Amino acid sequence: MYHDVFSDSPAPFIPRSSAMYHISKQSFIQHLAIIKKSTLNVLTVSEYLDNKEKKSISITFDDGWKGAFNIAMPILKDFGYRCTYFITKDFIGREGFIDEKGIMMASEAGMEIGVHGTTHRMLSNCSKDEIIWEFTNCKEYLESLTGQKVVSGSIPGGDWNETIASCVSIAGLKIFCNSKPGINLSNTNLFNLKRIPIKENTSDSDIQRYCQYNISKELIKSALYQIPRKLLGMKRYSNFRRWLLGEKNN
């Protein structure tokens, strides 16, 4: 689970809570080189639907950051890989984010375009109708823009629960990604696929471990992070996290 790739450094307007998930161009090249050496199949998220038995990985980008397209996509193409971009509709064209033309170019280049919601708000406190709208509105917009069927999505902010998953299905998606680390098996719930978050401090040796399906460290960290999330709820946890990072809360 990537977010953005930059040439020199993250843009100064990007808050710390986001910038920690942005990596350098050189790091991204190194990551793909390690994946290439592993000989694992690289699939888009929707391709996983028909290839659940194969040992493989998917490379995803959340939100729709500009560098994920303008910098990362040419590198992916050089390696012969395709990825899945999960787009937040209301972010399109904002400062730091890709515009409609960029999304269309990515789709035409064979990259998968998926849904990351309309507003990127935390959904666990929303009504079912609101949750369905978040995904339906974004899905219909992306389909109209690209002329391609959109079947995959990912959860904003890692705020997943069973109710949200059921609403995603009603919205017409066939496969959905969480933000919790884990290994997806052939019997894994297709509306609760695990991903491994990539951060600025993710090392080459970490990527090598992931290619060997060794994520024990990440599972322990994730279990510890779940404690304050459950105690505070996702919205208050998110605000508390931004406060710790010196950011203003919404």
Side-chain angles (χ1 to χ4, degrees), residues 186-240:
S186 60
N187 61 349
T188 299
N189 182 349
L190 290 176
F191 291 96
N192 190 18
L193 292 185
K194 307 299 188 293
R195 292 186 294 169
I196 302 172
I198 305 300
K199 299 182 179 181
E200 60 186 1
N201 60 354
T202 299
S203 67
D204 291 352
S205 61
D206 288 330
I207 300 297
Q208 289 174 336
R209 284 195 298 107
Y210 303 159
C211 289
Q212 297 166 358
Y213 297 96
N214 178 358
I215 60 167
S216 55
K217 292 181 180 178
E218 288 68 29
L219 292 175
I220 293 171
K221 288 180 181 179
S222 177
L224 292 174
Y225 290 152
Q226 293 310 307
I227 297 172
R229 287 183 178 186
K230 290 180 179 180
L231 289 174
L232 297 174
M234 281 301 299
K235 185 173 183 179
R236 282 184 290 179
Y237 169 79
S238 181
N239 285 336
F240 177 66

Side-chain angles (χ1 to χ4, degrees), residues 58-210:
S58 293
I59 298 169
T60 69
F61 286 90
D62 279 3
D63 300 333
W65 293 94
K66 188 181 294 184
F69 291 80
N70 296 345
I71 298 175
M73 189 166 69
I75 299 171
L76 284 161
K77 291 168 69 175
D78 286 344
F79 277 88
Y81 292 153
R82 295 191 297 143
C83 72
T84 299
Y85 291 110
F86 292 122
I87 307 296
T88 301
K89 180 180 179 292
D90 285 359
F91 289 176
I92 298 171
R94 289 187 185 179
E95 185 180 18
F97 292 92
I98 197 65
D99 56 17
E100 290 183 340
K101 182 179 179 181
I103 296 172
M104 293 169 65
M105 289 177 61
S107 179
E108 291 167 0
M111 305 297 165
E112 181 181 12
I113 304 300
V115 171
H116 196 53
T118 297
T119 66
H120 204 278
R121 57 179 162 167
M122 295 294 170
L123 300 178
S124 57
N125 293 324
C126 295
S127 69
K128 286 187 176 181
D129 286 345
E130 288 174 319
I131 297 170
I132 293 168
W133 176 85
E134 279 282 339
F135 293 105
T136 302
N137 186 49
C138 183
K139 179 179 185 292
E140 292 175 350
Y141 170 83
L142 293 174
E143 289 179 337
S144 176
L145 182 65
T146 65
Q148 300 291 325
K149 192 73 174 175
V150 173
V151 300
S152 66
S154 69
I155 188 70
D159 190 19
W160 186 95
N161 60 38
E162 293 285 353
T163 299
I164 293 170
S166 67
C167 291
V168 167
S169 178
I170 294 170
L173 299 180
K174 298 185 181 302
I175 190 165
F176 195 69
C177 296
N178 203 328
S179 300
K180 291 176 65 176
I183 304 299
N184 298 302
L185 305 176
S186 60
N187 61 349
T188 299
N189 182 349
L190 290 176
F191 291 96
N192 190 18
L193 292 185
K194 307 299 188 293
R195 292 186 294 169
I196 302 172
I198 305 300
K199 299 182 179 181
E200 60 186 1
N201 60 354
T202 299
S203 67
D204 291 352
S205 61
D206 288 330
I207 300 297
Q208 289 174 336
R209 284 195 298 107
Y210 303 159

